[in-house]
Amino acid sequence: MSARPRIRWFRFSSPPAFHALVDRLVPWLWGGAALLAVAGLYVGFFVAPPDYQQGNSYRIMFLHVPTAWMGMFLYLLMAIYAIIHLAWRVRLADVMARSLAPTGALMTALALWTGSLWGAPTWGTYWVWDARLTSSLILLFLFLGYLALHAAATDREKGGRAASLLAIVGVVNVPIIYFSVKWWNTLHQGMSVTATDAPSMAPSMFAALLLMTLACWLYAAAIGLRRAQVEALERSADAGWVRRVMLGETDAGTGQHDGDPGSAVLERGRH
Amino acid sequence: MWDGIGDFLAMGGHGPWVWGSYGAALVLFLAEVLLLARRRQRVYRMIRRRARAAGMSGPSMNEGGGA
Amino acid sequence: MGRTLWTLLRRDVSLIVTRRQDVLTVVAFFAIVIMLFPLAVGPEPEILRELAPGAMWVAAALASLLALDRLFADDWRDGTLEQLALIPQPLALVVLAKVTAHWLALGLPLVVLSPVLGYTLGLRGEELVVLPVSLALGTPVLALLGATGAALTLGVRGGGALMALLILPLFVPVLILGSGAVSQAMQGGDFLPHYYLLGALLVAALPLTPLAVAAALRIALD
């Protein structure tokens, strides 16, 4: 146990090391996501029995619940990268936060879409202002606000820092929003339809849910890392390491070596 | 468990909602992957172009490389 | 230290008040939005009364967005903000003074005016006290959150609309608690829990948001 080598995580905050890491990881993540999704769909559609109350519409749950969880989880993760970005000035953390946001927004949008399609046969209407749908909608706006602020600044560096700060402000507010919405919902109990609770779960349902959640997680990891890799390349397209990595050149014509790739920091993006 | 493909697609009368959910997920995930792949190709092309331009303007200071 | 901040606060209040236009605009906007409700929904007293807490609070939230883009932008453009960042007092306290001035000039008038407008929507008796108190507890939080949005969008093109997108979702808890207090009072329920929670939000926002605003201003000044 004690002989286990310590992984130097900050090594991966150097762009060339990160680039190589992503190339190595992403195929496995894709493979894992596809495998788990196939397994999850098989269990969800061919093993799990219909729910005695909701019939087969409950099978939307295998998509709805994982995407809703991933939306929240990705926002939290984005905020953690935002903290790393602002506290340690790791520019790659901004790249990661920015790269997770579109996938987080996508997951949240899917959670809303599937939630309303699940609601149609269950509640008889596509939309009710229940606590879960409402807070998902607010979360979607938080993602969109982050992306809009990141894009709006004329200076990408400044925009990134402002967006990181917004993500931190947002993550502090998310629990407050969530509980206030829940409270609001219980106060207006008489007016709203009772929420669809997850049906009493057979083990096979739980297995399908777990498999689909893991598949979503691996998908988000794969696409988030890949997007971060592309974004890092885009931001420092003229840097020496980019040419070395991409074109296999030993020297990128600038005659500039940065000896230890671990000490390199992500070069300032072009604006 | 299912009585043939028709029964499977009908989902006990809940087909439109179930397949509407999974179909939307498929479309959106595919779109995200394809858009990212296209962006990746674009960035790679840009880097190659710039590297070539830099390589050409390298020896003689005044050629190319402008904007 | 207190003197500097006091001077700053007085300067900001008098700047806003002598210009008068901002105060008038915000107050008129608040009244007009509330006037739109009967016109859009119809004059039936029961329906209006039902809508009153929400209408008042939505109008207050929108009105509190109005002059926010001016909160730091003027000082930023003429370089005052850079000077303020250099004075020995922490920038967060400077921010607190500025937001206080902003709320005194533009938030307090809404609180004072709210019973009159609430009456026109059918609020009566005790409700006409519960409403302004809820606004007095809640609108400072809105101003503090709004200041965060204003600082984050400083110098950004299309800042106004973007700012609304950034901060309106964060207004949700205050809106729920504020209009909830009035609704509780209308149903003869206990509205004190709403007050306590609004107060808790205010107590949490008072030290935290100025820190965030100061950080955002430093990014803009960099």
Side-chain angles (χ1 to χ4, degrees), chain A residues 2 6 15 29 39 47 61 93 142 144:
Chain A
S2 58
R6 262 190 63 212
L29 294 173
V47 180
M61 176 181 78
L142 291 179
L144 295 181

Side-chain angles (χ1 to χ4, degrees), chain A residues 97-182:
Chain A
R98 168 65 183 73
S99 301
L100 291 174
T103 305
L106 177 79
M107 292 284 180
T108 312
L110 260 179
L112 281 173
W113 175 257
T114 54
S116 89
L117 282 184
W118 189 7
T122 315
W123 297 322
T125 164
Y126 286 96
W127 185 266
V128 288
W129 291 96
D130 103 303
R132 228 175 326 164
L133 285 178
T134 310
S135 25
S136 288
L137 188 62
I138 296 171
L139 188 64
L140 181 62
F141 287 134
L142 291 179
F143 274 120
L144 295 181
Y146 172 89
L147 285 167
L149 183 60
H150 212 298
T154 38
D155 180 335
R156 188 185 261 169
E157 166 76 15
K158 272 191 190 180
R161 280 163 64 198
S164 285
L165 193 60
L166 177 71
I168 295 167
V169 172
V171 88
V172 172
N173 275 282
V174 159
I176 302 175
I177 293 172
Y178 185 76
F179 283 115
S180 67
V181 168
K182 235 182 142 112

